[in-house]
Amino acid sequence: MSIDIAWARAELSSFLKLTELRSPPGLLSASSRMSNRGGEREIVAGAQVVEQILDRVLPRWRTEVSDDRNMAVNRWCQHREAVQRADAVLLRDAEVRERLGDDAPQLSAAAMHRWAWDGARSLWRSGHFREAVTAAARKVNAETQNKVDRRDVSETALFQSVFSKDAAKPGQPRLRLMADDSSDTFRSVHRGAMAFAEGCFAGIRNPNSHEDGLPELPEHEALEQLAAFSVLARWVESATVDNA
């Protein structure tokens, strides 16, 4: 995974030490409530970093790790169990890399274009991968509308217009990925961008949004789909607006 494993494991270990459970002084030993080794302010500060690590390593930890003991034993019980699970994942990942010498590049959603990841982040972290991709598509569409100042068209029709090889018209600006030099390259680049955008919305966004009863996407497939919208977002952001 695309993460500094040594650093992440050190942060998790530090949090486990801070939240180590022990009987609070002055209470009967029969009490089920436990206190922590570290102070509350220090633990809360550490939790801000730890939660981001957990979101990367165990995206569904908030729902998959029980919080039943938070009230009865200690408010950090769910965090502690999630941290222990995440540390095991990181340890095994490091071991696999070392044993197999796997140097394949790692794809991180957080490294994708911000339009795609910002749109998907909250749903992705709760394990709603298909909805997360749909949200990313909506974000890319909205940002493209903002760039060309159009609200009358959206999605496929929008990208057919903005990447058209035809000259801009009043109320119909174009997005140019390169200067119009009347070359085959210019025509190819914009024809390809238009076709790619059509594929993203017709082949990914529409089925995800309009087909009822679809099973949840496996995370790796959702990541591939999210990457497609990231590519489209980078093209749109880097393009020059050509007005009539």
Side-chain angles (χ1 to χ4, degrees), residues 1-12 49 53 56-57 86-87 90-91 93-94 97 106 108:
M1 58 189 66
S2 180
I3 188 172
D4 185 331
I5 293 177
W7 169 82
R9 293 195 67 211
E11 291 293 328
L12 297 180
V49 174
I53 297 173
R56 290 283 298 280
V57 180
D87 187 62
L90 291 172
L91 178 61
D93 187 75
R97 284 171 176 268
Q106 302 294 309
S108 168

Side-chain angles (χ1 to χ4, degrees), residues 22-163:
R22 54 187 185 178
S23 298
L27 292 183
L28 297 175
S29 59
S31 172
S32 60
R33 293 294 297 175
M34 304 286 281
S35 63
N36 303 110
R37 176 179 295 277
E40 189 69 8
R41 179 175 296 181
E42 190 177 11
I43 294 173
V44 169
Q48 300 303 310
V49 174
V50 164
E51 287 176 355
Q52 294 182 62
I53 297 173
L54 293 176
D55 287 341
R56 290 283 298 280
V57 180
L58 301 174
R60 297 180 293 279
W61 69 273
R62 289 180 173 84
T63 56
E64 291 186 350
V65 179
S66 173
D67 62 356
D68 292 347
R69 299 175 68 228
N70 282 14
M71 291 293 294
V73 180
N74 184 273
R75 67 169 291 194
W76 299 107
C77 283
Q78 182 189 32
H79 280 70
R80 284 180 56 80
E81 181 177 341
V83 164
Q84 290 167 339
R85 293 189 188 188
D87 187 62
V89 171
L90 291 172
L91 178 61
R92 297 298 293 176
D93 187 75
E95 179 184 354
V96 168
R97 284 171 176 268
E98 179 181 354
R99 299 296 184 185
L100 299 183
D102 184 2
D103 59 353
Q106 302 294 309
L107 183 61
S108 168
M112 292 184 189
H113 192 280
R114 66 185 186 283
W115 294 349
W117 180 232
D118 286 352
R121 181 187 290 114
S122 61
L123 287 164
W124 195 279
R125 288 177 173 171
S126 61
H128 296 89
F129 300 125
R130 192 180 295 279
E131 292 181 43
V133 173
T134 299
R138 287 197 297 267
K139 177 71 171 176
V140 173
N141 176 77
E143 293 292 348
T144 304
Q145 288 179 316
N146 290 339
K147 179 151 185 166
V148 297
D149 194 23
R150 293 192 68 178
R151 300 293 183 276
D152 57 317
V153 291
S154 65
E155 300 188 350
T156 300
L158 172 67
F159 287 94
Q160 286 174 336
S161 176
V162 298
F163 284 131

